[in-house]
């Protein structure tokens, strides 16, 4: 495993007044994920799982079109959130939201037609048979960025539903009115990042954005900073390849955590969620290093 103790100064870029947040286009988001999952499945040892996730992403894209419109946060909630440096989407209130419950029901119904590994099929059946309290528990865990190790598979379907609902809610927001809400916290919903990326798009080239695991909002973060504790000390980078790898583990010696960082400036096709699953080899290499994974991805729990 290659390790870089200090980042290459030539790679550190900055654009004055880069926008704080980039909001998702839900349909395009899930369509892009479908294509990327399918592409990675062509050459990966994880092909059956990646193919299943491609089908799940296609279903998410359809639901983003066919489900009834979501109700955006109220003007009062938006004002309170901006004044108090809080995310406008209140995750704590969503577990009991009938719209999210309906999204989970629709997703489970659509997922029944997908090809999937047998453990996933059994988990889907369990979610379909679950009562209201159990479904609320599943959704509440995902909304809290938590997946219990003894029930990973059922939470995957709950996570897929939460992603659809939160991405649609985030898309209703005004990105220009969002404010920072804390270290490594999504300014739209307060969620944890799945990964961060050094961007390639014009106007934000070489600027770093973290990506929310659930609502898919991307937000600007200072380069060379731990997304778990905010420290700028003891940051180093490890990869399974060379110094020029497009996927690295950003490690922090202050809190002993790590989060993947993608160099989309070198490979624009990298996706914050998809390529996190696709780069499972880096997770395997990091397991015995003493660093804990801080990036949250409900599709990668248990690996």
């Amino acid at each position: 495993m290659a390790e870089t103790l200090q980042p290459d100064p030539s790679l550190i870029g900055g654009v004055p007044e880069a926008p704080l947040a980039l909001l998702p286009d839900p349909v395009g988001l899930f369509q892009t994920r479908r294509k990327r999952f399918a592409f990675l499945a062509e050459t990966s040892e994880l092909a059956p799982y990646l193919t299943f996730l491609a089908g799940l992403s296609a279903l998410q894209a359809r639901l983003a079109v066919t489900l009834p419109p979501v109700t955006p946060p109220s003007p009062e909630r938006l004002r309170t959130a901006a004044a108090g440096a809080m995310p406008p989407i209140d995750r704590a209130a969503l577990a009991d939201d009938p719209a999210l419950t309906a999204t989970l029901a629709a997703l489970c119904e659509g997922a029944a037609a997908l090809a999937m590994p047998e453990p996933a099929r059994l988990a889907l059946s369990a979610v379909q048979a679950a009562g209201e309290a159990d479904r609320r528990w599943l959704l509440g865990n995902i909304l809290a960025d938590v997946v219990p190790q003894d029930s990973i598979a059922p939470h995957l379907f709950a996570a897929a539903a939460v992603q659809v609902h939160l991405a649609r809610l985030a898309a209703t927001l005004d990105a220009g009115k969002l404010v920072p809400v804390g270290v490594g916290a999504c300014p739209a919903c307060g969620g944890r990042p799945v990964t961060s990326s050094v961007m390639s798009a014009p106007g934000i080239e070489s600027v770093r954005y973290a990506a929310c695991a659930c609502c898919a909002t991307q937000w600007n973060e200072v380069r060379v900073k731990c997304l778990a504790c905010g420290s700028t000390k003891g940051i180093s980078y490890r990869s399974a390849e060379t110094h020029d790898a497009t996927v690295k583990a950003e490690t922090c010696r202050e809190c002993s955590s790590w989060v993947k960082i993608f160099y989309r400036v070198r490979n624009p096709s990298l996706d914050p969620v998809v390529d996190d699953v696709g780069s499972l080899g880096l997770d395997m290499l990091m397991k015995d290093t003493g660093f804990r994974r801080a990036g949250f991805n409900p599709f990668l729990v248990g690996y």
Side-chain angles (χ1 to χ4, degrees), residues 77-278:
R77 171 67 189 182
L78 294 175
R79 289 192 296 270
T80 301
M86 300 185 299
I89 297 174
D90 183 3
R91 282 192 175 210
L94 288 181
D96 294 317
D97 187 340
L100 177 53
T101 303
T103 298
L104 177 58
L107 184 129
C108 288
E109 181 180 357
L114 299 178
M116 65 184 73
E118 187 58 24
R121 178 73 59 190
L122 293 173
L124 175 60
S125 297
V127 177
Q128 289 175 309
E132 181 180 344
D134 288 334
R135 290 193 177 197
R136 187 186 303 114
W137 177 73
L138 289 170
L139 294 170
N141 285 335
I142 296 300
L143 290 166
D145 288 337
V146 173
V147 176
Q149 289 290 326
D150 61 353
S151 57
I152 293 172
H155 279 84
L156 183 149
F157 295 101
V162 169
Q163 287 176 345
V164 172
H165 190 65
L166 282 183
R168 298 174 79 214
L169 280 176
T172 69
L173 302 176
D174 181 343
K177 293 183 179 179
L178 295 179
V179 297
V181 299
V183 173
C186 173
C189 74
R192 284 166 52 191
V194 55
T195 57
S196 72
S197 298
V198 180
M199 306 296 275
S200 63
I204 55 171
E205 187 174 16
S206 294
V207 178
R208 181 200 200 189
Y209 279 79
C212 181
C214 287
C215 83
T217 295
Q218 299 180 78
W219 70 95
N220 187 213
E221 289 280 5
V222 174
R223 294 281 295 271
V224 199
K225 184 182 79 170
C226 176
L227 294 180
C229 73
S231 175
T232 57
K233 301 177 182 178
I235 304 296
S236 62
Y237 298 82
R238 303 187 181 199
S239 69
E241 304 171 26
T242 65
H243 173 68
D244 293 327
T246 56
V247 180
K248 295 184 180 181
E250 183 177 69
T251 65
C252 174
R253 288 193 171 85
E254 293 294 302
C255 68
S256 298
S257 69
W258 71 279
V259 177
K260 283 180 191 170
I261 182 168
F262 295 153
Y263 292 87
R264 292 163 75 178
V265 69
R266 297 174 185 153
N267 182 359
S269 64
L270 292 170
D271 179 273
V273 169
V274 178
D275 285 275
D276 185 28
V277 179

Side-chain angles (χ1 to χ4, degrees), residues 30 33 55-64 107 159-161 163-164 299:
F30 295 119
R33 285 187 185 173
L56 190 63
S57 297
L59 172 59
Q60 289 176 300
R62 291 197 298 273
L63 292 177
L107 184 129
Q163 287 176 345
V164 172
F299 295 159

Side-chain angles (χ1 to χ4, degrees), residues 11-24:
L11 298 179
I12 301 178
V15 176
E17 298 182 7
L20 170 66
L22 307 173
L23 297 176

